[in-house]
Amino acid sequence: MNIGHKKNPTVHSLTAEKQKKLERRLRDKARLVLKVNYFTSIFSLVFAVLCYFILDITKVIPFIFLSFGILNLINTLLYKYHQNLTLTYNIVSIMTLTGAIIITLFSGGINSPFIFVLALIVVAGYVTTKSYGSLYLNLNLLIIVMIYSQSIADFSFVTNVVPEQSKNLFALLSILFSVYLLGGVFGKNLLSSHHNLYKTKDELEAKITEKETLLKEVHHRVKNNLQTVSSLLSLQSRNNEDQKVKELLKSSQNRVISMAMVHEMLYMREDIGKIEYKSYVQELAEYLIRSIKGTSSNITLDIDIPDLKLNIDTAIPLGLLINEAVTNALKYGILDDNKGEIFIKLRKDENNEYVLNIGDDGVGFAKEVTHKTTKSLGLKLIHNLARQLRGSIMRDLSKKGTHYIVKFREISDKIPTMA
């Protein structure tokens, strides 16, 4: 008997789609980093020429711009060979941070207009990852405080190399450089990235909704098919005169209905992955009592289950186990129209393991009788279903009637075939 479920091909499809989306986002991020690298390299080389020949800055600053421009172009071109975006980003970030600090110190310290470039490094960090953004934010805050401390110190180891007549033009070019990179490069690409992100999010939500609707329809059709099988078994039972055969068909019908109830609950509820197990057990047990003992029975039902949810791979074999235990109690434990009580308790212990206590106060059976020695299909099924749950089962002989203690964990993957 196999109650396992084949893996849904839509899951593989969703995984492949997520992988494609991830690869696309990585490509977009790589393009953004490389584009920014090319722009900053070109601007740095232009700045070096302007500083040296137009602004008459002949010390430190133009050589820093020139060195950065050349090294960053080499760094960007090398990406085509190693394809390591993190390495490329880290190299350019370290070079940018080092160059920005040196230029800031040699162009007025805390009063230098070039200090705004430090803010661009933080923005570039957040464009890459949140962790890089946080790292460069805290690092740059510390650097700015240190630059300020150096500027107000009695002794300064750096001097402003920007000539007095070039300060305003240097400030203008620095601010234009910062604003253009922030708005023209980062801003435009960030807006495009956010647009693509929300577009992707909407597409994924639409596909998830479509898949959920499809799964609900699958559960609905499975439930209908199982109910059809149940009706056929009921019809076959009514047309058969052999009492033993009628009982076998009725037992099979109840097993089919116990599975149909799971699919019905998954179809009716918002959460299509798990079912509220208390309501399921209550409905199943009440149905079995009506089916076996009739509507005016003397059976008391004591169900103690908290508000917990189980997935379908766990719910079905556990539901079949409860079906067999309750059926045996109603047919062989609580005889005829005698009064009786059925107990069902399900808990989760401190080891994250479920413990099911199920039993009745009927006549019970001899302790020598086991699933290995008996011919009872119900008793064999109880033990086999406990094994399918990858759990353990033991009989509690200290109480009147028949009581079982079943321990198991929720199954998260494909259920093995039941022997």
Side-chain angles (χ1 to χ4, degrees):
M1 181 179 180
N2 186 359
I3 316 172
H5 299 276
K6 291 183 178 179
K7 292 185 178 179
N8 198 327
T10 57
V11 175
H12 176 73
S13 177
L14 278 173
T15 304
E17 287 179 17
K18 284 181 69 178
Q19 183 66 27
K20 288 180 181 178
K21 299 289 184 184
L22 179 60
E23 290 175 355
R24 193 179 306 150
R25 286 179 64 185
L26 289 174
R27 286 196 300 269
D28 290 342
K29 186 177 290 186
R31 279 196 295 267
L32 175 58
V33 172
L34 296 178
K35 188 175 182 180
V36 172
N37 276 10
Y38 283 125
F39 268 106
T40 52
S41 296
I42 294 170
F43 283 145
S44 294
L45 294 173
V46 172
F47 241 107
V49 173
L50 289 174
C51 286
Y52 195 87
F53 294 102
I54 305 299
L55 301 180
D56 198 26
I57 305 173
T58 58
K59 295 180 181 179
V60 183
I61 293 177
F63 301 105
I64 295 296
F65 278 124
L66 181 64
S67 301
F68 176 83
I70 295 172
L71 291 174
N72 196 37
L73 277 176
I74 295 172
N75 176 45
T76 307
L77 293 172
L78 285 174
Y79 172 77
K80 295 181 180 180
Y81 296 97
H82 58 69
Q83 294 290 308
N84 190 332
L85 185 63
T86 303
L87 177 62
T88 300
Y89 169 76
N90 285 329
I91 291 173
V92 70
S93 296
I94 293 169
M95 288 195 305
T96 305
L97 186 60
T98 305
I101 293 171
I102 296 172
I103 294 172
T104 299
L105 286 171
F106 281 91
S107 61
I110 196 66
N111 296 312
S112 171
F114 204 80
I115 200 169
F116 292 108
V117 175
L118 293 173
L120 291 178
I121 299 171
V122 177
V123 174
Y126 277 114
V127 169
T128 308
T129 62
K130 184 179 178 181
S131 58
Y132 277 129
S134 299
L135 172 65
Y136 284 109
L137 173 62
N138 294 316
L139 185 59
N140 280 337
L141 288 174
L142 178 62
I143 289 169
I144 290 170
V145 172
M146 292 174 66
I147 291 173
Y148 171 75
S149 301
Q150 193 276 332
S151 298
I152 63 173
D154 294 333
F155 172 76
S156 178
F157 60 87
V158 293
T159 57
N160 190 345
V161 298
V162 180
E164 189 65 32
Q165 68 273 13
S166 302
K167 284 185 178 179
N168 290 337
L169 187 53
F170 179 79
L172 174 64
L173 292 174
S174 297
I175 293 170
L176 287 176
F177 175 70
S178 302
V179 171
Y180 183 78
L181 280 181
L182 184 60
V185 180
F186 284 121
K188 184 172 65 176
N189 284 282
L190 277 174
L191 185 63
S192 176
S193 297
H194 277 289
H195 175 72
N196 292 334
L197 180 62
Y198 279 109
K199 184 180 178 182
T200 302
K201 180 184 175 185
D202 291 340
E203 290 174 354
L204 283 175
E205 286 179 350
K207 288 182 179 180
I208 289 170
T209 302
E210 182 184 347
K211 295 296 187 295
E212 287 180 348
T213 303
L214 177 62
L215 285 173
K216 279 180 175 287
E217 182 63 25
V218 169
H219 286 304
H220 183 55
R221 292 190 180 189
V222 171
K223 185 262 296 184
N224 287 344
N225 290 337
L226 289 172
Q227 285 183 335
T228 301
V229 173
S230 172
S231 299
L232 291 172
L233 290 171
S234 178
L235 184 64
Q236 186 69 46
S237 176
R238 286 198 299 268
N239 292 333
N240 199 297
E241 300 298 328
D242 191 321
Q243 188 61 32
K244 287 187 177 180
V245 173
K246 288 172 73 75
E247 288 181 2
L248 287 173
L249 290 170
K250 186 63 178 176
S251 296
S252 298
Q253 182 186 1
N254 290 342
R255 292 172 188 130
V256 170
I257 288 175
S258 73
M259 290 188 287
M261 284 181 180
V262 172
H263 290 281
E264 183 178 22
M265 287 189 167
L266 288 171
Y267 168 72
M268 296 294 291
R269 286 162 174 76
E270 289 297 323
D271 188 353
I272 60 173
K274 292 178 178 286
I275 68 168
E276 297 171 0
Y277 218 65
K278 181 178 182 180
S279 58
Y280 166 72
V281 172
Q282 184 82 36
E283 189 175 333
L284 176 61
E286 288 175 354
Y287 162 76
L288 291 172
I289 292 171
R290 291 194 305 271
S291 175
I292 297 172
K293 293 293 188 180
T295 55
S296 57
S297 65
N298 293 320
I299 305 298
T300 302
L301 194 58
D302 182 8
I303 296 177
D304 182 11
I305 299 176
D307 294 331
L308 57 86
K309 295 181 179 181
L310 296 176
N311 61 38
I312 187 172
D313 289 339
T314 306
I316 287 182
L318 184 61
L320 286 170
L321 189 152
I322 293 172
N323 174 82
E324 297 302 324
V326 173
T327 299
N328 284 352
L330 294 171
K331 290 174 67 174
Y332 309 116
I334 305 170
L335 302 175
D336 302 325
D337 295 328
N338 295 339
K339 288 185 178 182
E341 188 171 9
I342 293 175
F343 312 89
I344 305 174
K345 180 179 179 180
L346 183 61
R347 282 286 184 275
K348 201 171 189 179
D349 63 17
E350 62 276 3
N351 297 321
N352 208 33
E353 190 175 43
Y354 288 100
V355 180
L356 171 69
N357 297 88
I358 185 167
D360 62 82
D361 61 351
V363 297
F365 59 91
K367 64 180 181 180
E368 290 82 12
V369 177
T370 67
H371 66 286
K372 294 180 180 179
T373 60
T374 185
K375 293 183 179 179
S376 168
L377 177 61
L379 191 57
K380 290 180 182 293
L381 278 175
I382 289 172
H383 283 265
N384 285 344
L385 286 161
R387 188 175 64 188
Q388 183 171 339
L389 286 166
R390 301 173 186 171
S392 63
I393 182 171
M394 61 175 292
R395 188 177 168 195
D396 187 357
L397 298 172
S398 64
K399 298 177 181 178
K400 179 189 175 184
T402 303
H403 293 266
Y404 295 104
I405 301 172
V406 183
K407 294 183 179 181
F408 63 95
R409 294 183 183 273
E410 190 167 17
I411 299 172
S412 58
D413 55 356
K414 187 178 178 182
I415 297 177
T417 303
M418 214 173 76

Short mmCIF file of all heavy atoms in Angstrom, two decimals, residues 300-325:
data_model
loop_
_atom_site.label_atom_id
_atom_site.label_comp_id
_atom_site.label_asym_id
_atom_site.label_seq_id
_atom_site.Cartn_x
_atom_site.Cartn_y
_atom_site.Cartn_z
N THR A 300 -18.88 8.59 23.93
CA THR A 300 -18.39 9.93 24.27
C THR A 300 -17.03 10.14 23.62
O THR A 300 -16.17 9.27 23.68
CB THR A 300 -18.25 10.09 25.79
OG1 THR A 300 -19.53 9.84 26.40
CG2 THR A 300 -17.80 11.50 26.15
N LEU A 301 -16.87 11.27 23.02
CA LEU A 301 -15.63 11.58 22.30
C LEU A 301 -14.84 12.64 23.06
O LEU A 301 -15.35 13.73 23.32
CB LEU A 301 -15.97 12.08 20.89
CG LEU A 301 -14.85 12.14 19.85
CD1 LEU A 301 -14.21 10.77 19.66
CD2 LEU A 301 -15.39 12.67 18.53
N ASP A 302 -13.63 12.30 23.45
CA ASP A 302 -12.77 13.24 24.19
C ASP A 302 -11.53 13.54 23.34
O ASP A 302 -10.60 12.75 23.26
CB ASP A 302 -12.36 12.62 25.53
CG ASP A 302 -11.51 13.58 26.37
OD1 ASP A 302 -11.38 14.75 25.98
OD2 ASP A 302 -10.98 13.14 27.42
N ILE A 303 -11.55 14.71 22.69
CA ILE A 303 -10.45 15.11 21.81
C ILE A 303 -9.70 16.28 22.44
O ILE A 303 -10.29 17.31 22.76
CB ILE A 303 -10.96 15.50 20.41
CG1 ILE A 303 -11.59 14.28 19.74
CG2 ILE A 303 -9.83 16.05 19.55
CD1 ILE A 303 -12.19 14.57 18.38
N ASP A 304 -8.41 16.08 22.65
CA ASP A 304 -7.56 17.11 23.25
C ASP A 304 -6.38 17.39 22.30
O ASP A 304 -5.34 16.78 22.39
CB ASP A 304 -7.05 16.63 24.63
CG ASP A 304 -6.21 17.68 25.32
OD1 ASP A 304 -6.18 18.83 24.85
OD2 ASP A 304 -5.56 17.35 26.35
N ILE A 305 -6.62 18.32 21.39
CA ILE A 305 -5.60 18.69 20.40
C ILE A 305 -5.51 20.22 20.35
O ILE A 305 -6.53 20.88 20.15
CB ILE A 305 -5.94 18.15 19.00
CG1 ILE A 305 -6.01 16.61 19.03
CG2 ILE A 305 -4.91 18.59 17.97
CD1 ILE A 305 -6.44 15.99 17.71
N PRO A 306 -4.34 20.79 20.53
CA PRO A 306 -4.21 22.25 20.44
C PRO A 306 -4.34 22.73 19.00
O PRO A 306 -4.51 21.93 18.08
CB PRO A 306 -2.79 22.51 20.98
CG PRO A 306 -2.05 21.25 20.67
CD PRO A 306 -3.05 20.13 20.80
N ASP A 307 -4.25 24.03 18.80
CA ASP A 307 -4.36 24.60 17.46
C ASP A 307 -3.04 24.39 16.71
O ASP A 307 -2.18 25.26 16.67
CB ASP A 307 -4.69 26.09 17.53
CG ASP A 307 -6.07 26.33 18.09
OD1 ASP A 307 -6.93 25.46 17.91
OD2 ASP A 307 -6.27 27.39 18.73
N LEU A 308 -2.88 23.21 16.15
CA LEU A 308 -1.67 22.92 15.37
C LEU A 308 -2.05 22.50 13.97
O LEU A 308 -3.16 22.01 13.72
CB LEU A 308 -0.80 21.86 16.05
CG LEU A 308 -1.42 20.49 16.38
CD1 LEU A 308 -1.33 19.55 15.19
CD2 LEU A 308 -0.71 19.88 17.56
N LYS A 309 -1.12 22.72 13.04
CA LYS A 309 -1.35 22.40 11.65
C LYS A 309 -0.30 21.39 11.17
O LYS A 309 0.86 21.50 11.55
CB LYS A 309 -1.29 23.65 10.78
CG LYS A 309 -2.39 24.66 11.08
CD LYS A 309 -2.29 25.88 10.17
CE LYS A 309 -3.40 26.88 10.44
NZ LYS A 309 -3.31 28.05 9.54
N LEU A 310 -0.73 20.47 10.34
CA LEU A 310 0.18 19.46 9.79
C LEU A 310 0.10 19.47 8.27
O LEU A 310 -0.97 19.73 7.70
CB LEU A 310 -0.18 18.07 10.31
CG LEU A 310 -0.04 17.84 11.83
CD1 LEU A 310 -0.53 16.45 12.19
CD2 LEU A 310 1.39 18.03 12.29
N ASN A 311 1.22 19.17 7.62
CA ASN A 311 1.20 19.12 6.16
C ASN A 311 0.56 17.82 5.69
O ASN A 311 0.34 16.88 6.46
CB ASN A 311 2.61 19.29 5.59
CG ASN A 311 3.56 18.19 6.04
OD1 ASN A 311 3.19 17.03 6.14
ND2 ASN A 311 4.81 18.55 6.29
N ILE A 312 0.27 17.77 4.40
CA ILE A 312 -0.48 16.64 3.85
C ILE A 312 0.28 15.32 3.98
O ILE A 312 -0.32 14.27 4.20
CB ILE A 312 -0.85 16.92 2.38
CG1 ILE A 312 -1.78 15.83 1.84
CG2 ILE A 312 0.39 17.10 1.51
CD1 ILE A 312 -2.35 16.14 0.47
N ASP A 313 1.62 15.37 3.88
CA ASP A 313 2.41 14.14 3.97
C ASP A 313 2.34 13.51 5.35
O ASP A 313 2.54 12.30 5.50
CB ASP A 313 3.88 14.44 3.62
CG ASP A 313 4.04 14.74 2.14
OD1 ASP A 313 3.17 14.34 1.36
OD2 ASP A 313 5.04 15.38 1.77
N THR A 314 2.08 14.32 6.37
CA THR A 314 1.92 13.81 7.73
C THR A 314 0.46 13.55 8.05
O THR A 314 0.10 12.57 8.71
CB THR A 314 2.51 14.80 8.76
OG1 THR A 314 3.86 15.09 8.41
CG2 THR A 314 2.47 14.24 10.16
N ALA A 315 -0.41 14.45 7.56
CA ALA A 315 -1.83 14.40 7.92
C ALA A 315 -2.52 13.12 7.43
O ALA A 315 -3.34 12.54 8.16
CB ALA A 315 -2.54 15.62 7.34
N ILE A 316 -2.19 12.67 6.22
CA ILE A 316 -2.90 11.50 5.67
C ILE A 316 -2.54 10.21 6.40
O ILE A 316 -3.45 9.50 6.85
CB ILE A 316 -2.64 11.40 4.15
CG1 ILE A 316 -3.44 12.50 3.43
CG2 ILE A 316 -3.03 10.02 3.62
CD1 ILE A 316 -3.31 12.48 1.93
N PRO A 317 -1.25 9.84 6.54
CA PRO A 317 -0.98 8.59 7.28
C PRO A 317 -1.42 8.66 8.74
O PRO A 317 -1.89 7.66 9.29
CB PRO A 317 0.54 8.42 7.16
CG PRO A 317 1.07 9.75 6.77
CD PRO A 317 0.00 10.42 6.00
N LEU A 318 -1.30 9.83 9.38
CA LEU A 318 -1.77 9.96 10.76
C LEU A 318 -3.29 9.83 10.82
O LEU A 318 -3.83 9.19 11.74
CB LEU A 318 -1.33 11.30 11.34
CG LEU A 318 -1.68 11.53 12.81
CD1 LEU A 318 -1.01 10.49 13.71
CD2 LEU A 318 -1.29 12.93 13.26
N GLY A 319 -3.98 10.43 9.83
CA GLY A 319 -5.43 10.31 9.78
C GLY A 319 -5.87 8.87 9.58
O GLY A 319 -6.85 8.41 10.20
N LEU A 320 -5.16 8.12 8.74
CA LEU A 320 -5.48 6.70 8.54
C LEU A 320 -5.23 5.89 9.81
O LEU A 320 -5.98 4.96 10.14
CB LEU A 320 -4.65 6.14 7.39
CG LEU A 320 -5.08 6.56 5.98
CD1 LEU A 320 -4.04 6.16 4.95
CD2 LEU A 320 -6.43 5.94 5.63
N LEU A 321 -4.16 6.23 10.53
CA LEU A 321 -3.87 5.54 11.80
C LEU A 321 -4.99 5.78 12.80
O LEU A 321 -5.46 4.84 13.47
CB LEU A 321 -2.53 6.03 12.36
CG LEU A 321 -1.95 5.28 13.56
CD1 LEU A 321 -0.42 5.39 13.57
CD2 LEU A 321 -2.48 5.81 14.88
N ILE A 322 -5.41 7.05 12.92
CA ILE A 322 -6.52 7.37 13.83
C ILE A 322 -7.79 6.67 13.38
O ILE A 322 -8.57 6.16 14.20
CB ILE A 322 -6.72 8.90 13.89
CG1 ILE A 322 -5.51 9.56 14.57
CG2 ILE A 322 -8.00 9.26 14.64
CD1 ILE A 322 -5.50 11.07 14.51
N ASN A 323 -8.03 6.61 12.07
CA ASN A 323 -9.19 5.92 11.52
C ASN A 323 -9.21 4.46 11.95
O ASN A 323 -10.25 3.93 12.38
CB ASN A 323 -9.17 6.04 9.99
CG ASN A 323 -10.27 5.23 9.33
OD1 ASN A 323 -11.41 5.65 9.22
ND2 ASN A 323 -9.93 4.01 8.88
N GLU A 324 -8.06 3.78 11.84
CA GLU A 324 -7.99 2.35 12.19
C GLU A 324 -8.19 2.15 13.69
O GLU A 324 -8.90 1.23 14.12
CB GLU A 324 -6.65 1.76 11.76
CG GLU A 324 -6.41 1.77 10.27
CD GLU A 324 -7.48 1.02 9.49
OE1 GLU A 324 -7.97 -0.01 9.99
OE2 GLU A 324 -7.82 1.48 8.39
N ALA A 325 -7.55 3.01 14.51
CA ALA A 325 -7.67 2.86 15.97
C ALA A 325 -9.09 3.10 16.43
O ALA A 325 -9.63 2.35 17.28
CB ALA A 325 -6.71 3.83 16.66
#
